[in-house]
């Protein structure tokens, strides 16, 4: 069983729509990252969260530590937001060792 | 400010050979972490170095190794290559003393093909 589950796996929406991508995890974490990967492989870090909510431009990320759940929201979506969005959690599988574990990603396509 | 630089960008090897990949972090960043990305397994964490010491390690066999130099540049080595080692290898650097204190900056990756 994956420690990190993302939903949906694929999402297609019209330009301007409000987008929500979900990430659930099963382990106690010290931090959660949201990443964006464009075709060609380049990865950009969007947010690092350990509690609460962060906002950057049209992107909002929230985390609920008790429910082991995080969401990434995109307001007024645009075709340039088309990418794969990946959730990653930082946790300690054993004492003295920390590991970053990734979700399988959500492929987002925004249609003009 | 220069980003994270990985070399080479593309390489082709044959089974049984070994390969060394290089990662130069953003100036001032002391943590460098390595990842493997394949279509089947997605992104997987290999290891993380901080101040020349391997601080964290993923679940990869001993054929995968790495090191970090005093200038924070890092190399990873894969020995006795197998077909399944074909992947995009990414490194990321971060500023903080603990790699959960800030964002990760990724390089463009080194795409390895094993024939």
């Amino acid at each position: 069983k994956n420690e990190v589950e993302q939903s949906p796996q694929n999402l297609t929406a019209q330009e301007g729509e409000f987008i929500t991508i979900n990430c659930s995890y099963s382990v106690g974490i010290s931090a959660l990252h949201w990443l964006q990967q464009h075709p060609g492989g380049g990865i950009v870090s969007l947010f690092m969260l350990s509690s609460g909510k962060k906002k950057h431009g049209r992107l909002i990320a929230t985390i609920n530590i008790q429910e082991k759940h995080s969401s990434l929201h995109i307001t007024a979506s645009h075709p340039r937001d088309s990418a794969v969005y990946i959730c990653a959690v930082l946790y300690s599988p054993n004492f003295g060792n920390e590991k970053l574990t990734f979700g399988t990603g959500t492929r987002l396509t925004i249609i003009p | 400010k220069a980003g994270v630089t990985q070399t080479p960008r593309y390489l082709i090897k044959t089974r049984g050979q070994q390969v060394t990949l290089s990662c130069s972090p953003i100036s001032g960043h002391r943590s460098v972490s390595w990842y493997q990305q394949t279509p089947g397994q997605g992104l997987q964490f290999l290891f993380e170095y901080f101040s020349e010491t391997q601080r964290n390690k993923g679940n990869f066999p001993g054929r995968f190794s790495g090191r970090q130099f005093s200038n924070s540049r890092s190399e990873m080595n894969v020995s006795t290559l197998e077909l399944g080692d074909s992947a995009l290898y990414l490194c990321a650097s971060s500023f903080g003393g603990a790699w959960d204190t800030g964002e990760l900056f990724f390089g463009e990756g080194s795409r390895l093909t094993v024939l």
Side-chain angles (χ1 to χ4, degrees):
Chain A
K1 181 184 182 299
N2 285 345
E3 292 98 342
V4 184
E5 301 281 350
Q6 281 187 243
S7 63
Q9 286 191 324
N10 295 283
L11 178 57
T12 300
Q14 293 290 132
E15 182 174 356
E17 285 190 38
F18 181 81
I19 303 298
T20 295
I21 299 171
N22 296 299
C23 175
S24 296
Y25 52 92
S26 57
V27 293
I29 68 170
S30 53
L32 181 145
H33 292 260
W34 280 103
L35 309 171
Q36 180 193 57
Q37 186 169 31
H38 281 281
I43 294 179
V44 174
S45 178
L46 299 175
F47 295 102
M48 192 281 294
L49 295 160
S50 53
S51 64
K53 177 179 175 178
K54 286 189 176 179
K55 184 176 188 293
H56 184 257
R58 296 180 294 107
L59 300 178
I60 303 165
T62 63
I63 188 168
N64 185 317
I65 296 294
Q66 287 73 30
E67 294 186 4
K68 292 186 166 62
H69 182 268
S70 176
S71 293
L72 176 68
H73 305 285
I74 305 174
T75 61
S77 59
H78 190 276
R80 65 175 173 266
D81 297 326
S82 297
V84 176
Y85 292 83
I86 303 167
C87 165
V89 300
L90 185 68
Y91 78 105
S92 295
N94 41 62
F95 181 76
N97 189 41
E98 283 196 307
K99 183 178 167 183
L100 197 61
T101 295
F102 298 86
T104 53
T106 294
R107 184 175 300 276
L108 174 66
T109 304
I110 303 297
I111 299 170
Chain B
K1 194 174 186 180
V4 178
T5 303
Q6 290 189 246
T7 58
R9 291 292 312 280
Y10 302 91
L11 66 166
I12 299 174
K13 293 284 187 178
T14 56
R15 278 180 297 173
Q17 288 187 309
Q18 66 94 26
V19 66
T20 299
L21 308 177
S22 178
C23 175
S24 293
I26 290 173
S27 178
H29 285 194
R30 295 167 68 189
S31 170
V32 174
S33 48
W34 287 90
Y35 308 88
Q36 182 197 65
Q37 186 175 36
T38 60
Q41 298 295 320
L43 271 165
Q44 295 184 89
F45 167 65
L46 281 155
F47 27 67
E48 185 243 355
Y49 285 86
F50 180 80
S51 292
E52 302 178 64
T53 300
Q54 186 182 90
R55 191 165 58 170
N56 294 296
K57 189 176 185 306
N59 301 326
F60 278 79
R63 300 187 297 109
F64 293 81
S65 62
R67 58 178 174 168
Q68 187 180 33
F69 302 95
S70 58
N71 61 357
S72 292
R73 189 178 72 85
S74 178
E75 288 181 349
M76 68 161 282
N77 184 77
V78 188
S79 62
T80 319
L81 284 166
E82 301 175 0
L83 295 178
D85 297 332
S86 295
L88 180 67
Y89 290 89
L90 292 151
C91 80
S93 72
S94 61
F95 176 77
W99 63 316
D100 61 340
T101 59
E103 66 181 294
L104 296 169
F105 295 84
F106 285 83
E108 293 294 314
S110 293
R111 188 167 294 280
L112 170 66
T113 301
V114 182
L115 302 176

